[in-house]
Amino acid sequence: MTAAEPIQPVNAAGAPPTQVICTAGHVDHGKSALIRALTGTEPDRFEEERRRGLTIDLGFGWLDSPCTADGRTVRLAFVDLPGHSRFIGNMLAGAGPSPACLFVVAADEGWMPQSQEHAEILTLLGIRRAVVAITKADLVDGDTLDLAVELVRAELATTSFADAPIVAASARTGEGLDQLTATLGTLVHVSPDEGRPRLWVDRSFSIRGSGTVVTGTLAGGFLSADDDVVLAPYGRPIRIRGMRSQQETITVAPPGSRVAVNLSGTPAADIVRGDAIVLDGQWTETACFDAELVALPGRSIQRRGAWQLCAGAGEWHAAVAPIDGPPVRAGQPGFARIEIDRAAPLAPGDRFVLRESGRSMTMGGGRVLDVVPGPAVRGRPRRDRRLRELVDLAGALDAGDRARFAAALLSAHGVIPAASLDGAVGRSPSAPLAEAAGARLLARSWVDAATMDTWSATALGAVADYHAAHPFRRAAPADVVATAVAAVGVEMAIAEGVAAVLIERGRLVAESGRLRLPGHRGAVGVPERAEFLRLLDDRPLRPPPLAQAMVEAGIGLDAVHELINGGEVVLIEDDIAMTAATIEGAHQRLRQTYDEEGPLSAARAKQILQTTRKYAMPLLAELDRRGHTRRRGDVREVLP
């Protein structure tokens, strides 16, 4: 840790900042003895463990040490992992949430099978900050110890912590413990506060007088006493009654700390290892996701097999389907669709391990990329496209660029519900990232810019088609756009928002509840306008066909559209137009007769207006639309 690097703040109880460190290594290489010697704490919690001298489940211990660059005290909180192969599931539950590792190899035995598997698991989990302890140094001579260090360094070459410092120590004699403590201090790291706390539960129990208590390693953000939180994956609202960390009561737990949380609202029996405490609305609880895969040397990951997926403190039965089809082999990273047997609050970038249940063997692992992956990927073109999308997502994570990741995710999906975006992107709030990517919020869903352009083209084409099909109408009904966009598979509520975007961008014009293209208009000259209106008024209730009147008056479609839009002319049929004055005059004539005779039939209305059925029926329909008449069976009432 450099002198310039800030250290995370002391919590409300005044406890020093914490660095969580898991221990790993082969069975009986002295992990628990080392924790016991460093901390004075017995990490083996069960009588059977102490009787057999074998760690079965997770153990815990801590050490306050002045090992920062400025001499301030930090707390090293150890999670002691079992080394026996039969308890690898428990080992994974402790390693998954841990950000750093104390890797243990006994000087008298050297690198052993579980040393290899634990190192592979830590590498798959992406743990880079580590210290290696060569234990039982008192049992070998100097030359043997030097050789042990040299051989361990060679074995570390293929791990994610190849350059980790190596310290020889003895828990029995105390040799090297001070140096080991100081070296562990170099692992101290400020855990980022992303405002998205997640506590993977590794223990759940009940205390008389307090109720339900869960423990875990907190990451991603702060938790406080009295916070309202959610138990994932059940979506169950619960409340934090209180918290403790290393036997001290605290009111605020910072990211990166080991914490015991007293909960109200759920019994301990309903919470299992691998559940998580999160804030409402920030995480996507998914049982299906797309991921980047890596196979260990000599192994492959394929569709066949009974798979177990381990992430955080949890373990799930899983089905694995490589996107490209063939198995993923060592040295050839690939991508897969993974389904697990119950939902989990996973996020892009989360690391996981894959084990084959039948052989109880770690086969590989990977990194979560997309927690809202959409329909199954079928067909070569769709597979190739999906592979390109996943490469883009992986590249954004590699670059640590969450804005680039959000843009790639929106591009891949086109539409993502706003309620899912925080979890899908892995940031809260994520809306600024979507806006920066050019996405638009429509009906509570974010729409990618390219998708919006495609829908816009569909919408504008529909309006243009309407103009061509109805040359005498100035504007299209407003629902033409939504209907056209919905026809390509878009949810109607979202499709209805496309017109508003196009109006905002000046690509559509709204007029009296209708829509038209901006260039779809014209001007009427005074002589031509007067002649056109005269032709309609010469025989007001039996006007000439519209096309004929246009030719005789010498005006075009744009001119007619302007007269219609201005309310001077009314198009009652595609080729029948009347002046507004004619329609109002017809209304008054019908009203006068109605006052004398009562409801009028269509035939009687035709007689009153002295016209033919060709004109009378569309005229009556127009009066109905305007609310001047109201149809009652075969007759009409005429309203004022």
Side-chain angles (χ1 to χ4, degrees), residues 538-581:
D538 271 356
R539 293 185 297 166
L541 293 171
R542 296 186 182 187
L546 180 59
Q548 177 185 327
M550 289 171 58
V551 171
E552 292 182 12
I555 65 173
L557 285 177
D558 286 345
V560 174
H561 289 159
E562 188 166 305
L563 288 169
I564 293 172
N565 191 59
E568 293 183 75
V569 173
V570 179
L571 193 67
I572 63 173
E573 283 274 273
D574 280 351
D575 201 31
I576 301 176
M578 294 181 179
T579 64

Side-chain angles (χ1 to χ4, degrees), residues 54-383:
L54 177 70
T55 300
I56 297 173
D57 203 355
L58 304 180
F60 307 94
W62 70 93
L63 167 68
D64 289 344
S65 175
C67 54
T68 63
D70 58 6
R72 285 197 294 165
T73 297
V74 296
R75 175 164 290 168
L76 305 178
F78 296 99
V79 180
D80 190 28
L81 311 182
H84 199 286
S85 60
R86 285 188 298 165
F87 308 121
I88 198 71
N90 293 339
M91 178 269 175
L92 282 158
S98 296
C101 175
L102 171 58
F103 195 83
V104 175
V105 181
D108 60 337
E109 288 193 349
W111 197 268
M112 297 292 283
Q114 287 310 111
S115 305
Q116 181 65 29
E117 184 168 23
H118 281 208
E120 290 171 343
I121 287 172
L122 296 173
T123 298
L124 291 169
L125 292 174
I127 294 179
R128 299 183 180 278
R129 293 184 296 117
V131 171
V132 178
I134 304 296
T135 56
K136 304 185 181 181
D138 58 306
L139 299 183
V140 298
D141 58 30
D143 290 341
T144 303
L145 185 59
D146 290 342
L147 179 60
V149 171
E150 183 179 341
L151 292 175
V152 167
R153 177 62 71 193
E155 295 288 356
L156 292 175
T158 58
T159 71
S160 58
F161 47 98
D163 297 326
I166 299 176
V167 179
S170 168
R172 189 177 68 85
T173 67
E175 175 189 352
L177 293 185
D178 288 343
Q179 182 186 354
L180 180 59
T181 300
T183 306
L184 287 168
T186 65
L187 299 180
V188 174
H189 174 74
V190 180
S191 296
D193 175 20
E194 299 171 348
R196 302 179 74 241
R198 178 176 59 181
L199 180 80
W200 287 109
V201 174
D202 53 38
R203 287 192 299 158
S204 174
F205 50 92
S206 182
I207 297 178
R208 179 173 295 182
S210 296
T212 300
V213 176
V214 299
T215 68
T217 299
L218 178 62
F222 287 80
L223 286 177
S224 301
D226 295 325
D227 274 353
D228 291 318
V229 294
V230 170
L231 177 63
Y234 317 105
R236 186 182 307 156
I238 50 180
R239 186 176 63 84
I240 296 177
R241 297 177 60 186
M243 296 184 293
R244 289 175 66 81
S245 183
Q246 277 78 50
Q247 297 185 355
E248 295 176 345
T249 298
I250 59 174
T251 57
V252 177
S257 58
R258 284 290 306 175
V259 61
V261 183
N262 184 199
L263 300 172
S264 65
T266 188
D270 288 352
I271 305 176
V272 298
R273 177 174 285 177
D275 290 346
I277 305 300
V278 297
L279 296 185
D280 189 27
Q282 292 189 336
W283 296 82
T284 296
E285 297 174 6
T286 182
C288 178
F289 58 92
D290 285 351
E292 182 181 35
L293 289 187
V294 176
L296 291 174
R299 297 163 205 177
S300 64
I301 301 173
Q302 56 191 331
R303 185 182 294 269
R304 291 182 179 179
W307 295 101
Q308 286 180 310
L309 182 140
C310 302
E315 180 180 295
W316 296 263
H317 295 295
V320 180
I323 300 291
D324 204 27
V328 175
R329 303 186 186 280
Q332 301 173 348
F335 301 94
R337 173 70 52 89
I338 298 178
E339 296 182 15
I340 52 180
D341 61 343
R342 67 184 190 281
L346 298 174
D350 281 349
R351 300 276 181 168
F352 60 87
V353 172
L354 281 172
R355 288 177 54 80
E356 191 174 9
S357 302
R359 291 187 284 177
S360 296
M361 181 181 293
T362 301
M363 305 298 286
R367 179 172 57 168
V368 175
L369 296 179
D370 190 348
V371 296
V372 287
V377 181
R378 294 189 175 92
R380 187 73 261 169
R382 182 67 186 95
R383 289 178 187 271

Side-chain angles (χ1 to χ4, degrees), residues 491-640:
E491 182 183 334
M492 180 57 78
I494 299 175
E496 289 172 346
V498 174
V501 174
L502 292 174
I503 292 168
E504 175 190 313
R505 294 176 175 177
R507 302 186 70 185
L508 281 180
V509 176
E511 290 181 347
S512 304
R514 298 170 74 85
L515 301 171
R516 65 173 175 84
L517 297 176
H520 195 70
R521 61 176 179 267
V524 183
V526 173
E528 292 85 355
R529 172 182 178 278
E531 178 62 15
F532 180 72
L533 294 176
R534 185 193 67 77
L535 289 170
L536 296 184
D537 282 337
D538 271 356
R539 293 185 297 166
L541 293 171
R542 296 186 182 187
L546 180 59
Q548 177 185 327
M550 289 171 58
V551 171
E552 292 182 12
I555 65 173
L557 285 177
D558 286 345
V560 174
H561 289 159
E562 188 166 305
L563 288 169
I564 293 172
N565 191 59
E568 293 183 75
V569 173
V570 179
L571 193 67
I572 63 173
E573 283 274 273
D574 280 351
D575 201 31
I576 301 176
M578 294 181 179
T579 64
T582 296
I583 291 177
E584 182 55 32
H587 171 224
Q588 294 304 324
R589 289 168 66 179
L590 293 174
R591 175 66 187 178
Q592 183 177 355
T593 304
Y594 173 79
D595 288 342
E596 298 170 355
E597 301 179 7
L600 306 174
S601 66
R604 178 63 178 137
K606 182 182 69 170
Q607 291 175 345
I608 296 166
L609 298 175
Q610 298 180 352
T611 187
T612 66
R613 182 178 178 83
K614 172 183 176 180
Y615 300 100
M617 297 310 294
L619 176 57
L620 289 172
E622 178 65 26
L623 292 172
D624 289 345
R625 284 192 294 272
R626 291 172 173 241
H628 292 331
T629 56
R630 182 165 55 209
R631 188 169 180 174
R632 300 289 190 186
D634 293 333
V635 297
R636 281 178 170 81
E637 297 174 346
V638 184
L639 307 177

Side-chain angles (χ1 to χ4, degrees), residues 413-544:
H413 287 275
V415 182
I416 297 179
S420 301
L421 190 66
D422 281 6
V425 173
R427 282 291 182 272
S428 299
S430 56
L433 299 179
E435 291 171 348
R440 291 296 300 257
L441 184 63
L442 297 181
R444 300 181 182 178
S445 290
W446 286 100
V447 181
D448 169 61
T451 301
M452 189 69 219
D453 288 344
T454 299
W455 294 353
S456 296
T458 299
L460 295 172
V463 176
D465 289 345
Y466 186 91
H467 288 334
H470 304 278
F472 305 123
R473 295 184 180 177
R474 180 175 175 83
D479 63 358
V480 164
V481 166
T483 301
V485 176
V488 297
V490 181
E491 182 183 334
M492 180 57 78
I494 299 175
E496 289 172 346
V498 174
V501 174
L502 292 174
I503 292 168
E504 175 190 313
R505 294 176 175 177
R507 302 186 70 185
L508 281 180
V509 176
E511 290 181 347
S512 304
R514 298 170 74 85
L515 301 171
R516 65 173 175 84
L517 297 176
H520 195 70
R521 61 176 179 267
V524 183
V526 173
E528 292 85 355
R529 172 182 178 278
E531 178 62 15
F532 180 72
L533 294 176
R534 185 193 67 77
L535 289 170
L536 296 184
D537 282 337
D538 271 356
R539 293 185 297 166
L541 293 171
R542 296 186 182 187

